[in-house]
Amino acid sequence: MAYLTKAPRGTADILPDESYKLRFIEKTTGDAAALFGFKEIRTPVFEHTELFQRGVGETTDVVQKEMYTFADGGGRSVTLRPEGTAGTARAFLEHGLFNEPLPQKYYYHTSCYRYEKPQAGRLREFHQFGVESFGTGEPAQDAEIISLAKHIFDLFGLTGIRLELNSIGCPACRADFQKALRTYFEGYKAELCETCLGRLERNPMRILDCKSPVCAEIAKGAPKVLDFLCEECETHFAAVKKYLDAMHIEYTVNPTIVRGLDYYTKTVFEFVSDSIGAQGTVCGGGRYDGLVEELGGTSTPACGFGMGLERLKLLLEAEGVTFPEEKRTEIYIAPAKAEYSFEALRLTDELRRDGVIALTDVSARSLKAQMKFANKKNALFTLVLGDSEIETARAKAKNMDTGEETEVDLTRLNEEITGLLVHAMFGADNGGSALSKLTLLDGGKN
Ligand code: ATP
Ligand code: MG
């Protein structure tokens, strides 16, 4: 039964000593998206399997070998989402959001599921921050979403991350490219991996995305997609670059980027770092003008990106970015006798209503054990409720950092404690009311 105390391979528990980091990452990315006019969307964790087969693409690794697919109680085939775009596009169609002012811009934080070989930066359950824009085919939109990703990396102060850019054209120009690729790779049939031999038949462009070193080496000499772009795709790509130049966003054109998913057209891009090991792609995205139509809607141009939160966290740690500390326990109220635990819990409850992080005894501990516990919890103040405190409604709040004790009136404890907290935070000579300072503090909470 050992497996009962071991999470499935490729999943990770996020414990309190880490969860605050992800909360900070989620808040920062979500706030940035809002600045750019994206609204949050939430879609189900599972969808009809066919949505991903069509939306991600039959020839992709994701659909061919990575999906968590099962039959539900009613015998329908459902799949845990391997990415966020297909579900978002489905919701866009289902709710007629194409009737709203375009472009419709959405962001999300979601868990994704892929049956892959777990390693650093590669899990079976991972999390993405993603954005999608539906309804404009203009290159300005491609550039705007790239600038959002860049904006986020800048907000975190990250420096070791570069933008790689490519265009993979539209179905029209890609047909010639695929033909040229097939001819090229036919010459290396003996060396290509098993999977790539299959790709050679179905979708030779996928070979460019192969992670095997042998295939990657062969791919280096392959025809370049940029040489096959039609005039429209060429103009689009030039304009995307011009917008990026205008925003002083640096990039390198990397003709080997084709992205893992089938629905991409024209612009594709990745933000890559060398400081987090082999899985260095933190963010990947591009344009997918064919997807909405593929799902049965009227042709609607779109683009977006997905950012892996685990990889982003690894990168933040690698670059020594400091995460805002969680707020410490502000006060511990210790009933000296069991009969005072009612008053202790009432006072604690009142304090919490004013936003004070307050603890009291819920374990029927002795006073001594409570003080030990308060210490372990690093409480800033402690306050003991004994006979005289209950009788006189006056008690001493002890600052555990300085040892200083202040007498407080229990009938107006909230005011007294918020005053002491502000004093402890800003020193004696703070201008303005205690409450305005507290609001200020709250603003910093995440
Ligand atoms: P990779 O080439 O690393 O397999 P991908 O092309 O499959 O990535 P996308 O489908 O574009 O990745 O997903 C967007 C982002 O999600 C990736 O850039 C990465 O940061 C993250 N990601 C993808 N797969 C995983 C995974 N198995 N574990 C953790 N993060 C992942
Ligand atoms: Mg992958």
Side-chain angles (χ1 to χ4, degrees):
M1 296 286 268
Y3 65 88
L4 282 184
T5 51
K6 194 142 176 45
R9 203 162 118 78
T11 66
D13 295 313
I14 299 159
L15 303 181
D17 62 348
E18 291 280 305
S19 59
Y20 76 96
K21 296 183 182 176
L22 283 163
R23 197 155 12 107
F24 172 61
I25 289 173
E26 284 166 4
K27 181 161 169 39
T28 308
T29 49
D31 286 354
L35 275 184
F36 282 67
F38 289 80
K39 304 279 186 209
E40 189 185 22
I41 189 166
R42 301 188 187 208
T43 61
V45 73
F46 62 89
E47 299 270 2
H48 298 299
T49 300
E50 204 186 340
L51 177 72
F52 300 116
Q53 287 170 338
R54 295 179 76 111
V56 177
E58 292 281 6
T59 67
T60 59
D61 283 0
V62 170
V63 169
Q64 288 197 345
K65 40 186 195 194
E66 297 173 0
M67 294 208 300
Y68 279 89
T69 297
F70 55 96
D72 70 7
R76 300 170 200 88
S77 179
V78 293
T79 295
L80 302 184
R81 67 177 160 231
E83 50 87 62
T85 305
T88 307
R90 194 240 341 113
F92 173 78
L93 284 174
E94 179 166 348
H95 303 285
L97 299 173
F98 41 80
N99 292 319
E100 303 293 322
L102 299 177
Q104 282 286 296
K105 306 201 304 193
Y106 312 111
Y107 79 85
Y108 49 80
H109 294 98
T110 53
S111 54
C112 300
Y113 303 84
R114 296 185 192 178
Y115 188 72
E116 298 195 77
K117 189 161 167 263
Q119 48 200 292
R122 194 176 291 289
L123 293 109
R124 290 178 175 171
E125 180 187 64
F126 63 100
H127 298 80
Q128 270 188 3
F129 162 69
V131 305
E132 320 287 353
S133 163
F134 295 93
T136 173
E138 289 303 310
Q141 185 63 96
D142 312 38
E144 187 188 48
I145 63 156
I146 291 172
S147 75
L148 168 56
K150 173 75 166 68
H151 185 87
I152 288 167
F153 297 129
D154 289 347
L155 277 175
F156 287 121
L158 294 171
T159 51
I161 187 149
R162 61 181 185 279
L163 167 60
E164 302 195 349
L165 191 68
N166 193 23
S167 170
I168 54 171
C170 61
C173 45
R174 206 181 306 157
D176 286 340
F177 176 55
Q178 293 274 46
K179 215 182 284 166
L181 280 180
R182 193 168 279 129
T183 312
Y184 172 80
F185 285 119
E186 291 278 354
Y188 293 92
K189 261 185 154 168
E191 290 146 79
L192 290 176
C193 75
E194 195 71 28
T195 321
C196 280
L197 286 177
R199 289 167 171 150
L200 187 55
E201 296 306 314
R202 289 187 304 269
N203 187 351
M205 204 171 76
R206 289 268 83 79
I207 301 175
L208 300 175
D209 210 23
C210 184
K211 304 245 166 16
S212 127
V214 179
C215 300
E217 193 56 40
I218 297 172
K220 279 185 187 158
K224 303 283 179 269
V225 63
L226 293 177
D227 297 330
F228 291 81
L229 294 188
C230 66
E231 203 182 322
E232 190 201 323
C233 290
E234 180 96 49
T235 311
H236 185 96
F237 192 46
V240 172
K241 290 189 286 187
K242 199 168 169 186
Y243 279 114
L244 293 178
D245 292 338
M247 290 184 284
H248 306 291
I249 294 174
E250 286 176 24
Y251 55 84
T252 48
V253 172
N254 177 353
T256 65
I257 295 183
V258 293
R259 310 284 313 128
L261 315 183
D262 262 358
Y263 48 61
Y264 283 97
T265 52
K266 294 182 177 162
T267 314
V268 288
F269 65 89
E270 291 184 352
F271 281 87
V272 188
S273 161
D274 294 323
S275 49
I276 54 170
Q279 322 310 323
T281 305
V282 178
C283 173
R287 181 161 278 289
Y288 49 91
D289 289 346
L291 177 63
V292 172
E293 196 172 4
E294 178 68 32
L295 300 182
T298 37
S299 174
T300 306
C303 59
F305 68 67
M307 199 181 275
L309 296 186
E310 286 82 2
R311 289 188 199 176
L312 178 58
K313 179 169 152 292
L314 284 177
L315 181 59
L316 293 175
E317 288 165 345
E319 291 207 10
V321 171
T322 44
F323 295 88
E325 295 276 321
E326 289 239 89
K327 278 195 112 185
R328 74 191 275 192
T329 303
E330 291 170 318
I331 185 164
Y332 182 92
I333 297 187
K337 290 180 177 167
E339 62 198 274
Y340 300 148
S341 65
F342 301 95
E343 182 62 358
L345 191 55
R346 186 190 70 78
L347 288 169
T348 307
D349 194 59
E350 286 293 318
L351 282 166
R352 290 169 178 162
R353 282 169 204 275
D354 273 344
V356 176
I357 304 176
L359 289 179
T360 187
D361 179 50
V362 287
S363 308
R365 288 192 170 109
S366 70
L367 183 58
K368 198 173 153 202
Q370 286 187 58
M371 296 322 274
K372 233 173 152 176
F373 180 75
N375 234 331
K376 283 196 184 137
K377 289 284 157 187
N378 192 28
L380 176 54
F381 287 94
T382 55
L383 185 149
V384 177
L385 290 182
D387 293 339
S388 79
E389 284 82 7
I390 294 292
E391 210 166 283
T392 62
R394 299 193 74 81
K396 286 202 177 100
K398 180 172 179 182
N399 182 318
M400 302 300 282
D401 288 352
T402 63
E404 192 185 344
E405 291 189 317
T406 312
E407 193 170 284
V408 294
D409 179 352
L410 292 180
T411 64
R412 42 192 296 275
L413 187 63
N414 284 17
E415 262 173 79
E416 300 263 31
I417 296 302
T418 48
L420 284 177
L421 285 170
V422 171
H423 182 89
M425 195 68 77
F426 293 102
D429 291 326
N430 63 86
S433 71
L435 263 180
S436 72
K437 289 287 184 193
L438 278 178
T439 320
L440 214 160
L441 288 181
D442 269 355
K445 272 190 201 172
N446 50 76

